[in-house]
Amino acid sequence: MQEQEIKAIDLRTYVKALWRRRWLLIIPIVAAGIVGYVSGKLLPPVYEAKSTVVVRVQERLSEPLARLVGRSPLEDQLSRLQEKVKSRTFLIELVRSLDMTDDPSVREWAESMHEKNPSMTVQQLAETRAVEYLQNRIAIVRTSSNGFQVVARDYDPDRAMLLAQHITNAFVSASNREQIEEIRAVHDFSVEQLVIYRQKLEEAEQRLQEFQETQTPGGLVENPVTSENVNKVDILISQAMVDRDRAAERRTERRTALFNLASEQYDRLSTLTSETMDALFEELVALEREIATVLVRASDNAPEATTLFVRSAENKDRVRAEARSLAREEFPDLSQQVYDAFAELKIAEVEEMMATERRRILGRFMWDYAQGRANAPEREMEYQRLVQEVESNRALYEAFLEQSAAGQITEALEAARAGGRFEIIEPPTRPTSPVAPDRLMILALSLLGGFVVGTASVFVTEQADTSFKDIDDIERTLGLPTLATVPEADIFKAIGSDEKRRRRQKGQQALEGRSRLVRYMMRETPVSFEFRRLARKLGHRRGGETPKSILITSAHRGEGKTTAAACLAITLAKHHQRRTVLVDADLRKPRVHQLMDVARDPGLADALERGHLLGSDLKSTALENLYVLPCGTRREQPTWLLESMPGSRVLEELLSSFDHVIIDTAPNVPVPDAILMGSSVDAVVMVVRAGITPREVVARGLELQLEENANVLGLVVNNLARVLPYYYDYKYYRYEGQGPPEEEQPKG
């Protein structure tokens, strides 16, 4: 429960700070809103054209040929095409085909840059500018597993459509060329292998024929495996040898590619490994042993073999990921292309190791089989070996013959054209409305940014503000009670406006005591209530009797001490029916005569100089019991005059003629007037303007006042409603609309 109350107080403190410094919050919000609105209007519209493309994958090849073709995965195709669309060569072709270098803004920029950099032609600079523009304006976005969108943005809707169309067409043509090149490479490899195995088959048949001519084979001994199993193992051994040779070629190619990409780091990269990488290599080699055993005992399509193939593929993916992570950790500044090349090199190395292990395991199987025939006659063993060699070579020859046959190659080419083809299902259309800028979003973000800046300004200013903002803080810091908290009132602003007008109109006569403040304080108002409370509290502080002489001062100018002194004098004269005189002892910046609408001289300075009061020194007001002793004629040395006031005849006459003497003095930090007169009065009241005067200044003023005399009874806190807007709830008591009567409102 207590925690909830603390949070509520904190929130109200923040709201209070925002309200008090609301202009620091409002101005950045308004400025940011204007900037956002203008920016949204000035930014040119951007149009977006899209085309949706899917890849139709239709596997129509027979299993041996599909295994031989080995088309790139769809993911790799799309990745290559995404890199291609960002390449400089592709973008320059696009710029030239669309004549983007003829754009006036591009041409103007190129000509201006040519003057600074004559080493490049205007055309080259224009192409560079257009390429940089396109790199940020085109994108390939994946929409599904086999589909993507070509997105192009431009200030011209027609050119946006042309960009999307050209990129889409480039994708289609590039895909077809890539597929045809793959099939042609497969065909060339098949023809090459066909020649090799035809020669091997002819040689094996020749050797078998020569053996048959010289030997008459007897009956074959029974063996634990059939001849079909032996042939299958022999074929598997040959395939393992081919796979090993191809893996070795790939390893060499990928080492060369890695060296070309990162020649300086190649030596360290080639030896780079980790415990995880070594463990994955060992696991793949162990899997290859299991695969070899399963392939001898069962077919390729057996569930057990399929499971092992899947595990092997997953481990290869883990090898790729570990290789990229290892290279990126060792060389964080290299490109993604280098990391991928290093990963593919590791795949080639492990595939070579796997093929070698498969060849070794299958050879051991054949050796064990041969050892099982050790007791057979040598001629039968030789005959069986030659038959197996012929059958193995014939099986491989027929496989390559089938793959390289004209009908099969035609089928592969057709499959390449149909399978993996980019099909445009939604061609680009001319955009009719812009997609950017989002003016509402810009305006909203601008307003949000202004709010953040304004809020930060408020709290930074609040942290830098050392003034008092809380009654408890004031009393705790200064060690004195707060006798009154005076709220803001429109009357004070109106009186200030009147004073400024009179200073401009120097010839205007005073109204002889018809003060607007007097009329206001005679009514029931929040301010009059507060000063009546002040008068009672002063009496309580003095044992029930209001002090006869009261000095009002402050630590700094502008804290409202003169107004407080006048309001207290009016309250004592009106509500307590005491003869009261308001003395203006601020001889440097006098204001009482303006506030009370009386003549300035003669007054206090004149009386102190002559040594006694005259009737003309005291000015009457609209209140019967209230008189004013203004500052009088300006003197060159006001402090010298005020030093003579304590114990003077003037002060004695005032104390003997009036029930209360209220003295307004200058601030006590800049000048010592209040300190000099403090010991000659019954009580001193200090006025503090909340939220304005730094607490260090107020504390220093109080310290100076207390050094001479200890009769400071308390504080009057001004402007508290500005700091705590919820402190007064005058609307409930219908005081908000109460002001001076219509005839009393300031004119002009």
Side-chain angles (χ1 to χ4, degrees):
M1 188 67 180
Q2 184 177 0
E3 183 180 357
Q4 293 178 353
E5 292 177 1
I6 292 175
K7 290 182 178 179
I9 292 174
D10 289 342
L11 178 61
R12 192 165 63 176
T13 301
Y14 296 145
V15 173
K16 172 189 65 179
L18 291 174
W19 174 254
R20 182 168 60 255
R21 306 188 186 277
R22 55 189 174 275
W23 287 111
L24 283 178
L25 178 65
I26 293 173
I27 290 175
I29 293 176
V30 173
I34 293 173
V35 171
Y37 178 79
V38 173
S39 300
K41 287 293 186 182
L42 293 180
L43 289 175
V46 177
Y47 296 88
E48 181 180 87
K50 297 180 181 178
S51 63
T52 304
V53 182
V54 296
V55 184
R56 302 297 185 188
V57 181
Q58 298 178 358
E59 189 64 60
R60 294 169 50 193
L61 300 178
S62 58
E63 183 180 350
L65 188 57
R67 197 167 53 243
L68 178 66
V69 169
R71 282 198 300 266
S72 301
L74 176 61
E75 192 74 30
D76 294 343
Q77 295 182 38
L78 294 180
S79 299
R80 287 197 300 272
L81 292 174
Q82 285 177 322
E83 293 176 1
K84 178 181 177 63
V85 79
K86 293 291 186 179
S87 66
R88 183 175 178 82
T89 304
F90 177 81
L91 292 177
I92 287 179
E93 293 178 359
L94 196 59
V95 167
R96 292 173 180 173
S97 63
L98 296 177
D99 297 328
M100 294 183 66
T101 55
D102 296 335
D103 186 273
S105 61
V106 174
R107 181 63 61 175
E108 181 181 354
W109 180 89
E111 291 173 354
S112 63
M113 292 300 296
H114 179 65
E115 297 176 358
K116 301 177 182 178
N117 184 17
S119 61
M120 296 180 67
T121 65
V122 174
Q123 182 66 20
Q124 290 174 334
L125 289 169
E127 288 180 351
T128 301
R129 180 69 169 180
V131 166
E132 292 175 353
Y133 172 80
L134 287 179
Q135 284 176 339
N136 299 321
R137 293 292 175 174
I138 57 178
I140 309 299
V141 181
R142 290 293 298 271
T143 57
S144 62
S145 59
N146 65 331
F148 60 91
Q149 278 187 337
V150 177
V151 181
R153 290 188 171 191
D154 197 88
Y155 299 123
D156 184 354
D158 295 321
R159 193 162 63 185
M161 183 183 69
L162 290 175
L163 283 172
Q165 188 174 9
H166 276 67
I167 296 171
T168 304
N169 293 338
F171 272 11
V172 173
S173 59
S175 172
N176 289 338
R177 286 197 304 269
E178 184 176 320
Q179 293 293 332
I180 292 174
E181 288 173 1
E182 286 187 8
I183 294 302
R184 286 176 178 170
V186 169
H187 175 260
D188 294 340
F189 175 76
S190 299
V191 171
E192 178 184 352
Q193 294 298 317
L194 181 64
V195 173
I196 293 174
Y197 280 97
R198 181 170 58 186
Q199 182 178 357
K200 288 184 177 181
L201 177 60
E202 291 175 352
E203 292 174 355
E205 288 178 342
Q206 180 67 29
R207 287 193 294 270
L208 179 59
Q209 184 178 359
E210 291 174 356
F211 182 82
Q212 287 176 338
E213 290 175 354
T214 57
Q215 301 284 342
T216 302
L220 296 178
V221 298
E222 294 182 359
N223 297 302
V225 294
T226 64
S227 59
E228 294 180 356
N229 291 333
V230 171
N231 293 339
K232 181 179 180 180
V233 173
D234 204 9
I235 293 173
L236 290 174
I237 291 175
S238 299
Q239 288 180 346
M241 294 172 63
V242 172
D243 292 342
R244 182 188 61 190
D245 294 339
R246 294 179 66 178
E249 291 177 3
R250 286 197 301 273
R251 175 176 53 80
T252 302
E253 292 173 357
R254 289 169 182 175
R255 281 185 178 274
T256 303
L258 181 61
F259 181 83
N260 293 335
L261 290 172
S263 57
E264 296 180 0
Q265 297 84 4
Y266 174 76
D267 291 336
R268 291 175 62 189
L269 279 170
S270 60
T271 59
L272 193 61
T273 186
S274 66
E275 294 182 0
T276 303
M277 182 77 71
D278 295 339
L280 288 172
F281 272 41
E282 292 178 3
E283 187 173 350
L284 282 168
V285 171
L287 275 174
E288 197 63 27
R289 298 190 194 102
E290 296 181 31
I291 291 173
T293 303
V294 171
L295 290 178
V296 171
R297 294 175 179 172
S299 64
D300 295 354
N301 297 328
E304 187 178 1
T306 302
T307 302
L308 292 174
F309 285 141
V310 170
R311 287 177 57 191
S312 179
E314 291 175 348
N315 283 346
K316 287 181 182 179
D317 289 339
R318 291 169 60 191
V319 169
R320 285 190 180 92
E322 175 64 20
R324 291 191 186 102
S325 175
L326 191 62
R328 189 177 291 108
E329 215 173 293
E330 187 71 17
F331 303 98
D333 298 331
L334 297 180
S335 64
Q336 184 64 35
Q337 194 174 5
V338 174
Y339 302 148
D340 294 341
F342 176 72
E344 293 305 317
L345 172 60
K346 289 300 179 181
I347 291 298
E349 291 177 356
V350 75
E351 287 178 348
E352 183 179 5
M353 293 173 62
M354 293 166 64
T356 302
E357 182 66 12
R358 186 166 74 249
R359 169 68 182 84
R360 187 186 68 80
I361 292 299
L362 294 174
R364 192 190 70 183
F365 291 161
M366 289 298 293
W367 170 256
D368 292 340
Y369 174 74
Q371 287 297 104
R373 298 283 306 280
N375 57 353
E378 292 184 2
R379 60 184 182 84
E380 292 181 358
M381 294 179 61
E382 181 66 15
Y383 175 76
Q384 185 65 29
R385 186 186 66 79
L386 291 174
V387 170
Q388 291 176 357
E389 183 179 1
V390 170
E391 291 179 352
S392 298
N393 288 325
R394 180 177 289 112
L396 289 173
Y397 172 74
E398 290 176 352
F400 281 108
L401 180 64
E402 178 184 3
Q403 292 173 2
S404 61
Q408 290 291 323
I409 294 300
T410 302
E411 178 186 6
L413 291 175
E414 290 297 327
R417 294 188 181 98
R421 173 180 295 172
F422 286 80
E423 180 177 338
I424 303 173
I425 63 173
E426 185 179 341
T429 58
R430 185 183 186 278
T432 57
S433 59
V435 296
D438 190 342
R439 292 185 173 88
L440 288 178
M441 180 61 69
I442 292 174
L443 181 59
L445 292 177
S446 300
L447 292 174
L448 178 60
F451 176 78
V452 172
V453 172
T455 304
S457 302
V458 168
F459 289 120
V460 168
T461 305
E462 195 70 14
Q463 289 295 324
D465 183 8
T466 60
S467 62
F468 291 110
K469 307 177 187 66
D470 183 79
I471 294 296
D472 293 336
D473 187 18
I474 295 174
E475 294 181 344
R476 183 173 56 253
T477 303
L478 302 181
L480 287 175
T482 300
L483 303 177
T485 54
V486 182
E488 283 186 330
D490 294 337
I491 183 64
F492 300 142
K493 298 178 182 178
I495 291 173
S497 300
D498 285 348
E499 292 178 3
K500 292 179 181 178
R501 186 172 63 254
R502 290 200 188 98
R503 284 195 292 268
R504 291 194 297 267
Q505 302 171 356
K506 296 181 180 180
Q508 183 179 0
Q509 296 296 322
L511 299 179
E512 297 299 338
R514 292 185 56 82
S515 167
R516 170 175 287 190
L517 182 61
V518 173
R519 298 195 301 273
Y520 178 78
M521 292 294 293
M522 290 173 66
R523 296 167 35 235
E524 289 189 351
T525 63
V527 176
S528 66
F529 287 154
E530 200 63 30
F531 278 95
R532 288 163 72 176
R533 184 181 296 118
L534 171 61
R536 288 196 303 272
K537 285 187 177 181
L538 286 172
H540 295 158
R541 298 285 291 180
R542 295 282 295 184
E545 182 66 26
T546 303
K548 187 175 185 65
S549 57
I550 304 173
L551 186 143
I552 308 295
T553 188
S554 63
H556 192 268
R557 63 183 298 268
E559 298 198 55
K561 61 176 183 56
T562 301
T563 304
C567 290
L568 178 59
I570 295 169
T571 300
L572 292 172
K574 166 65 177 175
H575 298 287
H576 292 256
Q577 298 298 316
R578 304 290 182 88
R579 278 177 55 82
T580 306
V581 61
L582 175 61
V583 180
D584 190 353
D586 188 353
L587 303 185
R588 291 171 177 80
K589 292 184 178 295
R591 184 169 164 259
V592 169
H593 65 285
Q594 296 176 349
L595 191 61
M596 301 302 292
D597 283 348
V598 297
R600 172 173 171 167
D601 50 32
L604 178 63
D606 304 284
L608 289 174
E609 193 169 77
R610 80 170 75 95
H612 61 87
L613 284 171
L614 293 178
S616 59
D617 294 337
L618 294 170
K619 309 298 189 291
S620 62
T621 66
L623 277 177
E624 180 180 358
N625 294 326
L626 179 62
Y627 293 85
V628 176
L629 178 59
C631 64
T633 307
R634 183 180 295 276
R635 296 294 191 272
E636 292 296 329
Q637 296 179 336
T639 302
W640 179 81
L641 283 175
L642 294 174
E643 281 180 341
S644 65
M645 186 172 178
S648 66
R649 181 179 174 184
V650 173
L651 183 57
E652 291 177 357
E653 290 176 346
L654 290 173
L655 292 174
S656 62
S657 302
F658 295 94
D659 297 326
H660 296 290
V661 178
I662 309 300
I663 304 174
D664 174 40
T665 64
N668 64 359
V669 172
V671 294
D673 300 353
I675 300 172
L676 295 174
M677 291 186 293
S679 59
S680 62
V681 297
D682 297 330
V684 175
V685 175
M686 290 198 65
V687 178
V688 178
R689 188 174 177 86
I692 299 296
T693 310
R695 62 179 61 204
E696 296 83 1
V697 176
V698 178
R700 179 56 179 166
L702 179 60
E703 180 184 357
L704 292 173
Q705 197 70 39
L706 291 174
E707 284 178 356
E708 295 296 327
N709 44 275
N711 59 348
V712 181
L713 296 188
L715 309 169
V716 172
V717 180
N718 244 337
N719 206 30
L720 191 61
R722 179 176 180 271
V723 179
L724 301 176
Y726 51 84
Y727 191 80
Y728 296 97
D729 191 9
Y730 296 137
K731 294 182 181 180
Y732 178 79
Y733 294 103
R734 304 183 181 274
Y735 291 134
E736 180 190 27
Q738 290 189 7
E742 186 65 27
E743 65 273 9
E744 296 176 5
Q745 294 291 342
K747 298 179 176 59

